[in-house]
Amino acid sequence: MQASALGDADVQTVRYWLYAPGRGACMWEEFYERGVMGLGWHQLGDLSEYATKEDMRQRLLDTRDDNTSQTNSARAVWQFANEIKPGDVIFVKRGLKEILGRGVVTGDYVYDPEGGEYPHLRNVSWKRRGSWRSDQQFPMKTLTEITDYPDLLARIDAFFDDGEDEESVDNEETLPVFPEYSSEQFLDEVFMDEERYDATVGVLRAKKNIILQGAPGVGKTFAAKRLAYSMMGVKDASRVMLVQFHQSYSYEDFIEGYRPSGQGFELVKGAFYSFCKKAADDEDNEYFFIIDEINRGNLSKIFGELFMLIESDKRGPKNKLQLLYSREFFYVPRNVYIIGMMNTADRSLAMLDYALRRRFAFVELSPAFDSEGFRAYRAGLVNPRFEALAREVESLNRVIAEDESLGEGFCIGHSYFCNMDADTCTDAALASIVEYELIPMLKEYWFDEPGKVREWSDRLRRSLR
């Protein structure tokens, strides 16, 4: 169960961007009044005439003499012209620590040859403006996507939680319309049968918390995001947050804690706290908090007093607990679902804390080489070497499953072979998967049995000849 040939890029959700309107935000007032966002690099001309980002970079190298690679500049103009979409959210910044406003993109890229220093434009419905100071620095680049940085996004979004001010505009007409996403679409994209999908949805709705566990490459992250979208019925990324636990992740990152600031220390809210507050203000909609590598963190330390509050029967305002630092009474809303992900092949990790384990339901994701969806994907590639390699990996998985020191939790997942089409499924691509992904994994699995590593390395390589 996991990905079909489609990757994450096909999910057209709202994306979030940090944007500087000119040096020192010198164009902010003008752009706000005009309802636009603009970009410089006027020497490039019409950005829609460039076929690739590299073409833009070469043009910048030819026209600018500042002895830099122009990589960041080329990325900014390419994203401005080709990746930003109507419905995306723009946060306006000045310098490295100040937010000036927020808006929603309403138009496609437009080139204005009479636009002077800023000829590259997009229409934006600006919602708020003001001045909010951050305790942490922002990226220096003119345009930076922050969709995949949930902690940073939560901190910036929290500036706007105090309600609309006198300069707000009516946003009812410009709210983004999110694409629908049904269970049928989930089953088309994720190699899971309908019965298994219905059972997973049912246990998540009842338990509120599940952990998707499985071997490397079974598509836990891919499935988790699409599970959330299918339950919401729309591809609304603003109601899904993804964080990754690690050994240094703490309660202060997750809930709240004191951080250094210019005046000493100040209390900063964490990712889960901010997410729950957002969900509590929108009780009619479901929200999904996804935790990658959930077993890598010190769970007792991260969750703290929330051990009790995440239980399905302890949700809601009637079950408040006082937080450690702020002493605020806090609860986990009923419309928040937690999806954890755990790699069963990571032998360096301790067992999950029992107190947390009993609060989650566990859903096993297995390699889906024999699923109807993967067989159809496989047949569509019409590639004999792909077929031979897939059969060899299935044989390898049977050996791994029967190995007393390994077992089914160490089998190789099908997602290593997904996201290909007839053009990209080349001999070189398949050889790269074998040499740089599968064989290193076998060396880790059978570090004390080099003969077995050599045998299966040779078999995988021979399948491509």
Side-chain angles (χ1 to χ4, degrees):
M1 43 192 90
Q2 135 84 7
S4 64
L6 297 173
D8 244 8
D10 69 296
V11 180
Q12 308 240 334
T13 54
V14 172
R15 297 165 75 175
Y16 297 83
W17 306 82
L18 264 178
Y19 159 69
R23 185 178 296 275
C26 62
M27 299 299 294
W28 171 228
E29 293 299 326
E30 178 181 333
F31 287 166
Y32 181 87
E33 295 300 328
R34 291 170 59 189
V36 300
M37 63 186 297
L39 217 57
W41 293 284
H42 58 90
Q43 62 269 46
L44 286 173
D46 189 346
L47 301 181
S48 62
E49 295 180 355
Y50 293 84
T52 68
K53 182 167 40 179
E54 179 60 21
D55 292 340
M56 291 180 172
R57 192 179 77 86
Q58 289 299 326
R59 176 61 176 165
L60 287 169
L61 287 172
D62 293 340
T63 58
R64 294 169 70 96
D65 187 22
D66 54 9
N67 297 318
T68 65
S69 68
Q70 302 298 328
T71 300
N72 286 338
S73 297
R75 181 184 296 115
V77 289
W78 176 265
Q79 290 178 321
F80 188 87
N82 298 284
E83 296 185 16
I84 293 179
K85 303 295 182 188
D88 284 3
V89 175
I90 307 296
F91 294 107
V92 179
K93 66 169 184 171
R94 175 163 56 198
L96 298 179
K97 288 193 172 185
E98 185 179 9
I99 292 294
L100 298 178
R102 178 181 63 180
V104 176
V105 178
T106 59
D108 294 325
Y109 166 71
V110 173
Y111 174 63
D112 177 11
E114 305 300 322
E117 290 290 315
Y118 298 90
H120 312 299
L121 303 172
R122 279 180 175 273
N123 288 333
V124 178
S125 175
W126 297 114
K127 307 299 181 186
R128 295 283 302 275
R129 66 172 168 176
S131 177
W132 297 269
R133 297 290 297 181
S134 170
D135 63 315
Q136 295 187 350
Q137 289 190 0
F138 303 136
M140 293 180 63
K141 294 181 293 183
T142 300
L143 185 69
T144 307
E145 184 180 4
I146 59 172
T147 309
D148 294 328
Y149 297 89
D151 292 347
L152 173 61
L153 180 56
R155 287 198 300 272
I156 296 175
D157 206 35
F159 294 146
F160 302 93
D161 286 345
D162 58 346
E164 300 294 331
D165 62 12
E166 66 276 5
E167 293 190 296
S168 300
V169 294
D170 182 10
N171 63 1
E172 290 299 319
E173 297 179 0
T174 56
L175 285 175
V177 177
F178 300 106
E180 294 183 358
Y181 193 86
S182 64
S183 58
E184 289 77 14
Q185 288 169 286
F186 175 92
L187 294 172
D188 284 343
E189 293 188 359
V190 180
F191 298 146
M192 181 186 292
D193 60 56
E194 186 173 1
E195 183 178 355
R196 180 77 164 179
Y197 167 76
D198 290 340
T200 302
V201 170
V203 74
L204 180 53
R205 290 202 186 280
K207 192 79 172 177
K208 300 289 188 184
N209 315 307
I210 66 169
I211 288 179
L212 302 180
Q213 62 178 0
V218 296
K220 297 179 284 291
T221 303
F222 188 98
K225 289 181 179 179
R226 281 151 183 78
L227 179 63
Y229 294 140
S230 69
M231 291 177 65
M232 293 189 299
V234 293
K235 299 173 183 175
D236 181 0
S238 67
R239 290 194 272 139
V240 179
M241 176 171 280
L242 172 66
V243 300
Q244 185 179 65
F245 281 1
H246 49 78
Q247 286 86 345
S248 299
Y249 203 88
S250 66
Y251 177 92
E252 288 74 16
D253 299 309
F254 198 59
I255 307 299
E256 63 175 8
Y258 284 97
R259 300 284 178 83
S261 68
Q263 290 72 42
F265 289 86
E266 64 177 319
L267 189 62
V268 177
K269 301 302 183 182
F272 189 66
Y273 174 96
S274 300
F275 190 78
C276 286
K277 288 296 184 180
K278 185 176 181 180
D281 292 335
D282 187 20
E283 293 182 348
D284 293 335
N285 289 306
E286 295 172 316
Y287 284 70
F288 292 81
F289 195 85
I290 301 176
I291 305 171
D292 192 20
E293 304 283 7
I294 190 170
N295 54 334
R296 280 190 174 275
N298 182 333
L299 298 174
S300 297
K301 176 182 176 184
I302 292 170
F303 277 87
E305 63 271 17
L306 296 195
F307 261 150
M308 185 180 79
L309 294 187
I310 65 172
E311 292 186 55
S312 58
D313 61 346
K314 302 295 193 302
R315 299 293 187 92
K318 293 183 179 179
N319 297 283
K320 292 183 178 181
L321 283 180
Q322 200 169 31
L323 296 180
L324 180 63
Y325 291 105
S326 65
R327 316 305 296 170
E328 172 188 349
F329 284 95
F330 177 80
Y331 69 93
V332 178
R334 295 186 181 90
N335 59 331
V336 169
Y337 297 87
I338 301 175
I339 303 176
M341 291 174 288
M342 188 169 74
N343 187 348
T344 52
D346 196 332
R347 286 184 281 203
S348 66
L349 303 177
M351 293 292 288
L352 280 178
D353 187 294
Y354 178 74
L356 187 70
R357 178 173 283 277
R358 65 186 178 85
R359 288 165 168 82
F360 282 79
F362 287 74
V363 177
E364 187 79 29
L365 302 187
S366 305
F369 290 100
D370 60 347
S371 69
E372 182 179 339
F374 190 83
R375 285 198 299 268
Y377 160 64
R378 191 164 152 177
L381 293 175
V382 195
N383 188 313
R385 286 188 173 86
F386 183 96
E387 281 286 340
L389 178 58
R391 286 195 298 270
E392 203 63 69
V393 172
E394 289 182 87
S395 300
L396 173 59
N397 276 344
R398 286 192 286 272
V399 172
I400 291 173
E402 293 169 1
D403 190 309
E404 292 183 357
S405 65
L406 298 175
E408 292 182 355
F410 290 79
C411 289
I412 294 170
H414 55 279
S415 69
Y416 288 105
F417 307 96
C418 293
N419 304 321
M420 293 184 175
D421 56 30
D423 293 328
T424 59
C425 186
T426 62
D427 292 352
L430 295 174
S432 178
I433 293 171
V434 170
E435 294 295 334
Y436 303 114
E437 298 188 71
L438 302 188
I439 291 177
M441 191 183 307
L442 296 183
K443 290 178 178 178
E444 169 69 20
Y445 284 180
W446 289 315
F447 64 92
D448 56 348
E449 297 183 74
K452 190 173 286 189
V453 174
R454 283 195 299 272
E455 174 193 349
W456 280 101
S457 296
D458 290 342
R459 290 184 62 168
L460 293 172
R461 289 168 178 145
R462 281 199 303 270
S463 69
L464 299 178
R465 294 172 188 163

